[in-house]
Amino acid sequence: MSRGNQSWLIGAWLFFTSLFSSSAWAETQLNLTKGATAVSREVYDLHMLALYICTAIGVVVFGIMFWSMVFHRKSKGAKAADFHESTKVEILWTAIPIVILIAMAIPATSTLIDMENNDDSDLTIQITGSQWKWHYKYFDQNIEFYSVLSTPREQYENQNGSFEGNGAEKGENYLLEVDRHLVIPVNKKVRFLITSDDVIHAWWIPAFAVKQDANPGFINEAWTIVDEPGIYRGQCAELCGKDHGFMPIVVEVKSAADYDTWLNEQHALIAQAANAEKASLSASMSKEELMQLGETTYMAYCAACHQPTGLGLPPMFPALKGSAMATTGKIADHIDMVLNGKNAMPGFGKQLSLKEIAAVVTYERNAWGNDTGDLVQSSDVNAASGSK
Amino acid sequence: MTTETVNESLDESHDDEHHDHKMTGIKRWLYTTNHKDIGTLYLWFSFIMFLTGGALAMVIRMELFQPGLQIVEPDFFNQLTTVHGLIMVFGAIMPAFTGFANWLIPMMIGAPDMALPRMNNWSFWILPFAFAILIGSFFMESGAPNFGWTFYAPLSTTYSNGSTAFFVFAVHIMGISSIMGAINIVVTIMNLRAPGMTYMKMPLFVWTFFITAYLLIAVMPVLAGVVTMVLTDTYFGTSFFDAAGGGDPVMFQHIFWFFGHPEVYIMILPAFGIVSTIIPAFSRKQLFGYTSMVYATASIAFLSFIVWAHHMFTTGMPLAGELFFMYATMLIAVPTGVKVFNWVATMWRGSMTFEVPMLFSIAFVILFTIGGFSGLMLALTPVDFQYHDTYFVVAHFHYVLVTGSLFSIYAGAYYWLPKWTGHMYNDSLAKWHFWCSLISVNLLFFPMHFLGLAGMPRRIPDYALQFADFNKWVSIGGFAFGLSQLIFLAVVIKCIKGGDKAPAKPWDGAEGLEWTVASPAPYHTFSTPPKID
Ligand code: HEM
Ligand SMILES: [Cu+2]
Ligand SMILES: [Cu+2]
């Protein structure tokens, strides 16, 4: 073997070892997940079946090709034969693939029929996507909440534009973590009704083999029965604008007992929040309190579009710094905009407490040099919302 | 002239040179109605667009090199992917094939030119304007289109960044250009074949372009319709795709994919024609199953109209719809398989040599087939729920489009460069181009299968940590592939400037009328039609 050849081999060897010794390789997943439901396992089996069939066909077809590339080359003195047509062969290689396809279509059909059977569910949850968060509403339980990305901005924004990044250390579930999990019971048929408030999103949990588009104005159905308690993660799977990559989904599957405990906790929390809302009506907050709460609320719910600087991303998302509505405009209009939204601006009436809305409006009217000096209290918001 | 295969049209062309009315300088190219000039314009335009779209892809791969947002904002990232897709589809692949059609169809059927030469000039010269508008939108206040090349409503309507009007206008111009080009191809093939060249004696290359042209005429108006609906929904208060006004966003997808799926065959049928020309030439054996190839092409074209909703399995179709579109899509694998088997049978017991056009053709057969396999897997609805909108789909369509369509374009370019320029290309540079492309393209696209299976959605600017390793390798493959394409530029420029003189027929196994005229092909060929027996 020549020297040239050797250095190529060593290069290739180094290349592959570095590929496999790379830090996080151990966790790297190559294949589709088997998942945690009967359906996801059927889907996995179907995937493997298709993969094996394709590999087998590939080996045969490419094998024949390479054989003739090696043995039927001119440099080996091969003389071209002159056959160029055979109806028999053509029929054969039309028929065989059809048989193979039927062999794949049968299991695919039965799995599909299974997946589309939405009957007899134990529990129904409505899932609503909006730019860029998920809303979950439990039927018959009076429980509903939003679920948004909880990875801190510092982790994904390497603001100095370098590859090294000055962003914070990335956490284990980087971009796959949310503030509130969707909680469902194990071994129960849970039906999802999926829709959207704005553009199309898609709700996807690989471990359940559930992926369903959330279409504005229409409701899609999907279901799952999970057989292992645990935490399952997924992501939005339909391009939905700027932060499409930042709206993960986390489902926590609990045992029946834990699920009941969770339900009770939620009811207690709801009661507590209602009391807090009432209390906030009579309370009056200081400017410092309002600005502080306003800033946290703004960063969590508004900065994605209007940016931390208040400059927005015109023309899609308007600036609030110096905008008429947030400075000279009527406070009532400002509150109304935040409560009910307009066009691509989502309404926050359902998502934020009176106190938070009061604070965020105050914040917008006083931050970034919008020094109006206006203070907005919960009672003002309550009045504007016509008692929510 | 050197070879005896050169027929009488050579001498004619010699006379022609004295009265060919070729203008000089820029006017020659602006006013030209000559099919060879227009073919050249299309090919250069497509290559420039390919490099432009490629540059955008390099930025995308730089951003995805590591987790975290490094160099672009998420919204700009979406603009990059959208314009990359639009440029590659409408600016790189489609015009390249039109360039081939212009250069070669008249020569292959023994016609003096395309049937509608003035329209030909017009259909090329509106294209640069379309792309100037599209690319120019990067510099407008709105920014470029950011809703994906599939521009799903309402992201492209109510929620658009304001680029919708530019986008719609640009697409309309591209569509008009394509329709005119297609009409020209159909009219030329139907009317200008040399006496004796019956349909079933046409080269398969001509057949595939003929069928593709019909596909274009059928679906480009659908695209024009859907972009117009997007335009009026955005600016004139209609609600075709807005449920609040009685419309339906899923209807957008039906209309779009009714165009979109035939569109993917518009980008692959001509590729079939090119490799079906090259493989026999370097196997020194006639194409196996010519007739079945024609029928397979026609059935693919027909089936391509009834499979569109396989792009929409997750939109909430009824079970019956899902089953129908699954079966119909699987059926497409049959004629596609027939084609692959015919190519393999053509090589079988041939007398093969491996010049660069053949290398690209063989790579095409293998890698396109891999793309076909992933297509077949995607056709199975239950698993498509897992694959859909992940990198698995990205891997699939890059295998069929890059190692499929693009590799066939390279194969064809190397095969006909001697005819176009009169020189042989630099063989060792060309081999470098091939091997660098082959290795890097697989490093670039193969790991995307794994990423998709592991759950990485497409069209995201940042990703979870378990996807980090593959993305790094994919990016490295991407940069290497991008650089490798500059070798092609060098080969072409060298080949135009000089190199060994090409004989009229540089490939001993080549067949077809184009090899009976001198190299470079004279400005006018077949002013009197050749006789075919
Ligand atoms: C055996 C033949 C083929 C089959 C069965 C097939 C099947 C499919 C399916 C089912 C999808 C949808 C995947 C999804 O989004 O979930 C798809 C996507 C796609 N295919 Fe194919 N395909 C085939 C060949 C081709 C060819 C020849 C091309 C183009 C040259 C092509 C280009 C594309 C493109 C561009 C997409 C993605 C479109 C997008 O969402 O942006 N396919 N294919
Ligand atoms: Cu999304
Ligand atoms: Cu398709």
Side-chain angles (χ1 to χ4, degrees), chain B residues 256-410:
Chain B
F256 176 79
W257 286 114
F258 188 80
F259 147 80
H261 190 82
E263 168 68 16
V264 309
Y265 283 96
I266 287 166
M267 294 188 284
I268 202 68
L269 295 183
F272 292 167
I274 292 173
V275 299
S276 300
T277 312
I278 294 173
I279 290 178
F282 296 98
S283 305
R284 290 166 186 75
K285 197 163 148 270
Q286 224 176 314
L287 179 68
F288 188 86
Y290 170 88
T291 321
S292 74
M293 285 297 231
V294 173
Y295 288 127
T297 311
S299 20
I300 291 177
F302 168 74
L303 286 173
S304 77
F305 284 105
I306 54 164
V307 298
W308 76 89
H310 65 212
H311 297 269
M312 302 168 51
F313 285 139
T314 63
T315 55
M317 263 191 285
L319 177 63
E322 289 177 335
L323 288 174
F324 173 81
F325 284 106
M326 172 167 77
Y327 299 148
T329 304
M330 293 175 79
L331 215 51
I332 280 205
V334 175
T336 313
V338 167
K339 297 212 151 241
V340 174
F341 300 144
N342 279 328
W343 291 322
V344 176
T346 306
M347 292 185 217
W348 186 253
R349 294 187 47 213
S351 168
M352 271 193 272
T353 52
F354 300 92
E355 286 83 349
V356 177
M358 183 64 163
L359 290 176
F360 271 106
S361 301
I362 290 172
F364 169 94
V365 175
I366 295 175
L367 300 176
F368 169 77
T369 305
I370 291 178
F373 287 150
S374 54
L376 185 57
M377 296 170 75
L378 287 161
L380 302 172
T381 314
V383 236
D384 181 71
F385 282 109
Q386 293 284 43
Y387 305 143
H388 176 64
D389 261 325
T390 69
Y391 263 77
F392 192 82
V393 174
V394 181
H396 159 69
F397 66 74
H398 282 98
Y399 265 87
V400 284
L401 285 173
V402 176
T403 59
S405 310
L406 180 68
F407 271 31
S408 82
I409 289 167
Y410 281 141

Side-chain angles (χ1 to χ4, degrees), chain A residues 201 236-240 244 247:
Chain A
H201 306 264
C236 175
E238 179 63 59
L239 178 64
C240 55
H244 165 55
M247 55 181 293

Side-chain angles (χ1 to χ4, degrees), chain A residues 19 22 47 156 163 174 211, chain B residues 66 69 387-388 462 469 473:
Chain A
L19 192 65
S22 176
H47 159 75
Y156 55 85
F163 282 97
Y174 177 70
K211 183 185 283 150
Chain B
Q66 276 196 343
L69 294 173
Y387 305 143
H388 176 64
D462 193 7
D469 288 283
W473 289 110

Side-chain angles (χ1 to χ4, degrees), chain B residues 103-139:
Chain B
W103 250 105
L104 296 167
I105 288 176
M107 291 207 289
M108 285 182 170
I109 62 173
D113 203 311
M114 296 296 278
L116 307 165
R118 272 184 205 285
M119 192 165 89
N120 208 9
N121 169 291
W122 181 232
S123 57
F124 173 77
W125 274 112
I126 60 179
L127 266 190
F129 293 93
F131 285 90
I133 294 171
L134 181 65
I135 297 170
S137 62
F138 269 118
F139 307 100

